[in-house]
C-alpha cells in the first residue's frame, strides 16, 4: 500500500479559521510599521491628506501582493517561507532627500524601479554568498535584528513617536497589561489559543483601551470604501542619476537585511535557506520593489517584525502569511477597513511587540548556542558585531556627520552588524593562522566546527 510523503510544516495548510486568525495576527503585528514609511515620506514632502491616504492604500495593496509573491512564489520568484513584506526604513532618508530637493515623487519612483531591477539582477550573486553565513554569523545577525527592533516596541509602548502623551504612565500600563495577557494566554490556554496569543492580547487591549479614551475611530468615517491604486498616479517616473545612485546603495542594504531575515525564518521553521532559495527570495524583493515604483509606493523587503511572531507562535505554515497578504490586499482596496486596523492604539502594539521582538533576539541566542566558543575568537566576532549593530540604535545621531551613502549603510543596525559579522568571521576563522595562535583559533578545521 503506497504511503504519501509527510508534508513539511511550512507547506501545511491550516483550516480556514486558523488561516484567518493567524493571518490577521501577522497583519496587526506589522501594520504600524507598514504605514510608517509613506507617512514619514509624505509628511516630509508636505503632501495633502488625500495624497497621504493614497500612498497608504497603495502601500498596503503592494505589501499584500509582495507577501503573496514571497510566500506562494512562482517560477524563480519567492522563497516560499512565512515571510511578510513591507516598505524598508533604510530608504526613508534618501527618499525624503530626493523628494524635497526638486525631484518629487516621480524621481523617487524612477530610482525605486531601477533599484528593483538591480536587486533582481544581483539576487544570484547574493545567493552564492550564503556560505559566508555560518551559525556564528546567522546567530549574531538574528540577535541584532531582535535587539534593533526592541526600541520600536518601546516607542509604541510609550504612546508612539510624536504623541502628545508620549511616556505617560497610562500608556506603559496599557502596554504592560497587553504583555501580561499575551504571556498568560500562551502559558495557560489550549494550543490553538496559545498560537494566537498576540491576536488575543491586541483584541483585549483594544477592548480595554476604548473606555479609557485611547482609541480614535474618527478616521474610519472619513475613509472611502473602495480605493483602487493606478500605475503612475503621481506622473511618469523620472530617472535622475544622483537619485538612482542613492537608491542602489539602499538596495544593497535591503538585500543584506533580507538575507538575515530569510535565514532567521529558515532556522525557526527547520527549512534551511539554500543558495537557490535565497536568490529566489531576493528576486521576489526586486520584483516587489519594481511594482512599488509602478504603483506609487516604495522599496520592499522582508519585515523583521513578523519573524518574531513565527518563532513565538511556532506556526510555520507559509500559507498563514499568504492569508495575511490577502488581508493586506483587501485593506488596500478597502480603505475604510484599513482605517479600522489603524485605530489600534500604539501602546497595545507595544505590549505585543516586546514579546515578538524579544523572541527574535532569543532565537539568535539559540543559534549561537550551537557555536563553539572555546579556544578561538568567536566571542570577539559576536561582541564587536553586536556592538556595531546596536550603536546606531542606541545613538541614532552617531553617524550624522558622515556622507549620505555611509549613513544609509551604517544607520541600519542590521546591515552594519551583518557586514561586521561576515568580515570578522573571515578574518578570525578563514585567514591563515597567526604565529603563536591558540589551538583551534585559526586552523583549517576551525571553520567547519564554529563557522
Amino acid at each position: 500500500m503506497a504511503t504519501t510523503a509527510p508534508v513539511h510544516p511550512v507547506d501545511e495548510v491550516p483550516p480556514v479559521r486558523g488561516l484567518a486568525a493567524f493571518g490577521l495576527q501577522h497583519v496587526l503585528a506589522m501594520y504600524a510599521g507598514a504605514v510608517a514609511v509613506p507617512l514619514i515620506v509624505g509628511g516630509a514632502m508636505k503632501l495633502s491628506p488625500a495624497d497621504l491616504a493614497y500612498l497608504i492604500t497603495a502601500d498596503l495593496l503592494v505589501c499584500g501582493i509582495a507577501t503573496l509573491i514571497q510566500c506562494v512564489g512562482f517560477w524563480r520568484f519567492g522563497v516560499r517561507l512565512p515571510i511578510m513584506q513591507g516598505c524598508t526604513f533604510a530608504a526613508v532618508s534618501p527618499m525624503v532627500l530626493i523628494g524635497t530637493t526638486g525631484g518629487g515623487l516621480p524621481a523617487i519612483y524612477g530610482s525605486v524601479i531601477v533599484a528593483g531591477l538591480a536587486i533582481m539582477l544581483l539576487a544570484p550573486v547574493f545567493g552564492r554568498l550564503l556560505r559566508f553565513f555560518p551559525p556564528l554569523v546567522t546567530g549574531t545577525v538574528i540577535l541584532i535584528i531582535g535587539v534593533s527592533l526592541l526600541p520600536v516596541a518601546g516607542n509604541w509602548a510609550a504612546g508612539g513617536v510624536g504623541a502628545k502623551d508620549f511616556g505617560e504612565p497610562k500608556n506603559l500600563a496599557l502596554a504592560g497589561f497587553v504583555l501580561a495577557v499575551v504571556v498568560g494566554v500562551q502559558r495557560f490556554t489550549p494550543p490553538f489559543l496559545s498560537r494566537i496569543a498576540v491576536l488575543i492580547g491586541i483584541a483585549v487591549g483594544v477592548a480595554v483601551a476604548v473606555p479609557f479614551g485611547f482609541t480614535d475611530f474618527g478616521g474610519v468615517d472619513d475613509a472611502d470604501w473602495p480605493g483602487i491604486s493606478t500605475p503612475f498616479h503621481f506622473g511618469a517616473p523620472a530617472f535622475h542619476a544622483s537619485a538612482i545612485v542613492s537608491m542602489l546603495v539602499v538596495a544593497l542594504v535591503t538585500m543584506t537585511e533580507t538575507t538575515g531575515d530569510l535565514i532567521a525564518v529558515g532556522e525557526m521553521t527547520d527549512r534551511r535557506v539554500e543558495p537557490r532559495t535565497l536568490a529566489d527570495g531576493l528576486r521576489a524583493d526586486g520584483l516587489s520593489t519594481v511594482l512599488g515604483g509602478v504603483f506609487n509606493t516604495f522599496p520592499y523587503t522582508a519585515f523583521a517584525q513578523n519573524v518574531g511572531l513565527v518563532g513565538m507562535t511556532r506556526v510555520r505554515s507559509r500559507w498563514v502569511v499568504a492569508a495575511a497578504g490577502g488581508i493586506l490586499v483587501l485593506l488596500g482596496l478597502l480603505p475604510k477597513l484599513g482605517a479600522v486596523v489603524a485605530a489600534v492604539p500604539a501602546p497595545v502594539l507595544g505590549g505585543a511587540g516586546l514579546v515578538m521582538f524579544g523572541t527574535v533576539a532569543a532565537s539568535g541566542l539559540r543559534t549561537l548556542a550551537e557555536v563553539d566558543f572555546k579556544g578561538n575568537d568567536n566571542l570577539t566576532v559576536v561582541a564587536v558585531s553586536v556592538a556595531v549593530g546596536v550603536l546606531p540604535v542606541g545613538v541614532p545621531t552617531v553617524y550624522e556627520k558622515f556622507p549620505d551613502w555611509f549613513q544609509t549603510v551604517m544607520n541600519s543596525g542590521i546591515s552594519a552588524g551583518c557586514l561586521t559579522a561576515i568580515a570578522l568571521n573571515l578574518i578570525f576563522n578563514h585567514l591563515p593562522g597567526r604565529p603563536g595562535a591558540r589551538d583551534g583559533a585559526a586552523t583549517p578545521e576551525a571553520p567547519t566546527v564554529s563557522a
Side-chain angles (χ1 to χ4, degrees):
M1 184 175 178
T3 57
T4 57
V7 177
H8 193 283
V10 168
D11 299 317
E12 286 181 348
V13 182
V16 174
R17 67 168 188 168
L19 281 174
F22 296 142
L24 180 58
Q25 187 169 237
H26 273 282
V27 171
L28 292 173
M30 61 84 70
Y31 189 91
V35 302
V37 173
L39 281 174
I40 295 170
V41 175
M45 294 179 63
K46 296 180 172 56
L47 298 182
S48 67
D51 285 342
L52 273 177
Y54 193 94
L55 283 182
I56 291 171
T57 55
D59 174 37
L60 293 174
L61 175 64
V62 181
C63 270
I65 295 172
T67 298
L68 288 169
I69 293 172
Q70 195 68 273
C71 295
V72 179
F74 68 93
W75 191 51
R76 296 297 302 278
F77 292 86
V79 72
R80 295 167 174 84
L81 285 172
I83 291 285
M84 289 290 291
Q85 297 284 105
C87 284
T88 173
F89 284 87
V92 168
S93 295
M95 289 192 300
V96 168
L97 186 63
I98 296 167
T100 56
T101 54
L105 286 172
I108 292 176
Y109 294 140
S111 64
V112 167
I113 290 171
V114 174
L117 294 172
I119 291 172
M120 285 193 281
L121 291 174
L122 291 173
V125 177
F126 261 72
R128 288 193 289 270
L129 297 177
L130 190 61
R131 61 194 180 93
F132 296 113
F133 287 84
L136 174 64
V137 174
T138 59
T140 303
V141 171
I142 296 169
L143 174 61
I144 292 170
I145 291 172
V147 173
S148 298
L149 288 172
L150 285 173
V152 175
N155 282 322
W156 287 346
V161 177
K164 294 180 180 178
D165 61 349
F166 186 87
E168 288 285 343
K170 64 176 184 177
N171 292 335
L172 295 171
L174 178 58
F177 171 73
V178 172
L179 174 61
V181 171
V182 171
V183 173
V185 170
Q186 193 169 15
R187 173 63 182 86
F188 297 109
T189 62
F192 173 75
L193 291 178
S194 70
R195 289 176 183 147
I196 56 171
V198 170
L199 178 60
I200 293 174
I202 291 174
V204 173
V206 171
V208 171
V210 170
F212 286 97
F214 282 91
T215 52
D216 179 11
F217 290 100
V220 178
D221 293 332
D222 298 335
D224 297 326
W225 272 110
I228 306 298
S229 298
T230 55
F232 307 125
H233 173 79
F234 295 98
F239 300 94
H240 298 174
S242 58
I244 290 172
V245 170
S246 64
M247 204 56 64
L248 288 176
V249 174
V250 171
L252 293 174
V253 172
T254 58
M255 292 180 80
T256 305
E257 292 182 346
T258 296
T259 298
D261 291 332
L262 297 186
I263 291 172
V265 173
E267 296 272 351
M268 292 175 179
T269 58
D270 294 324
R271 177 174 277 181
R272 296 293 179 96
V273 173
E274 303 294 336
R276 173 170 174 149
T277 53
L278 174 58
D280 292 347
L282 293 172
R283 199 176 287 112
D285 263 13
L287 175 59
S288 300
T289 298
V290 172
L291 291 176
V294 172
F295 285 95
N296 320 292
T297 180
F298 307 115
Y300 284 84
T301 186
F303 240 39
Q305 282 92 323
N306 295 80
V307 173
L309 193 55
V310 173
M312 177 189 161
T313 62
R314 299 185 294 279
V315 176
R316 296 180 279 177
S317 172
R318 60 190 173 105
W319 298 104
V320 162
V321 179
I327 294 172
L328 286 172
V329 170
L330 190 62
L331 294 177
L333 296 175
L334 299 173
K336 195 171 285 290
L337 290 181
V340 172
V341 177
V344 176
V348 172
L349 296 175
L354 287 171
V355 187
M356 294 187 299
F357 304 160
T359 301
V360 178
S363 297
L365 293 176
R366 183 176 62 187
T367 301
L368 287 173
E370 305 172 11
V371 177
D372 179 15
F373 288 98
K374 296 180 180 178
N376 54 44
D377 295 294
N378 288 339
L379 195 63
T380 300
V381 175
V382 176
V384 176
S385 302
V386 171
V388 172
V390 173
L391 185 59
V393 177
V395 189
T397 58
V398 66
Y399 298 121
E400 66 177 8
K401 303 296 184 183
F402 285 75
D404 290 339
W405 67 267
F406 186 89
Q407 291 187 50
T408 300
V409 176
M410 298 303 291
N411 274 340
S412 166
I414 298 172
S415 63
C418 182
L419 293 173
T420 304
I422 293 172
L424 292 180
N425 179 56
L426 291 174
I427 291 170
F428 283 112
N429 289 322
H430 291 274
L431 293 182
R434 61 187 183 275
R438 297 185 301 276
D439 292 339
T443 60
E445 292 80 14
T448 62
V449 175
S450 58

